[in-house]
Amino acid sequence: MHEPTFYILTALAERPQHGYGIMQTVARLSGERVMLRAGTLYAALDRLTTEGLLAVDREEALQGRLRRYYRLTDAGSAALGAEVVRMRAAASMAAARLRTHEAGGFAFAPGGAS
């Protein structure tokens, strides 16, 4: 899963949000490393909705403009959960190899094999 997708799904894990709210939440959650532009965000929202990971929760008119709120679906929640498990396993493996390196051992086998 790409990092922007991870953060979009994470942003919607607590509650439905509209596009601008998602952009702000993603920026905050990522420590401002992931800054989504409107075009990028809305293309991702369309793709994630088509894939069934998100759904439109509701629409409301605000000052003559339509504001669409998105929510995480059960499939989106499952995909995010699977990514969390994958990331934890990868981080655990990396930490174990780093401990081996710091202890003076080899983090990889001589000859290039890992």
Side-chain angles (χ1 to χ4, degrees), residues 37-101:
R37 293 182 172 204
T40 302
L41 173 66
Y42 287 104
L45 292 174
D46 286 344
R47 178 180 54 79
L48 295 169
T49 300
T50 299
E51 292 174 1
L53 302 180
L54 301 180
V56 174
D57 186 68
R58 68 186 184 279
E59 294 178 337
E60 61 185 33
L62 181 67
Q63 298 175 348
R65 296 183 65 187
L66 187 63
R67 181 178 276 182
R68 183 173 289 153
Y69 286 76
Y70 294 87
R71 66 174 170 78
L72 197 61
T73 63
D74 290 343
S77 181
L80 181 58
E83 183 65 5
V84 168
V85 168
R86 186 197 69 77
M87 291 172 80
R88 281 183 180 153
S92 178
M93 176 273 306
R97 293 176 68 89
L98 185 57
R99 282 191 301 274
T100 299
H101 173 77

Side-chain angles (χ1 to χ4, degrees), residues 97 107-109 112-114:
R97 293 176 68 89
F108 57 90
S114 297

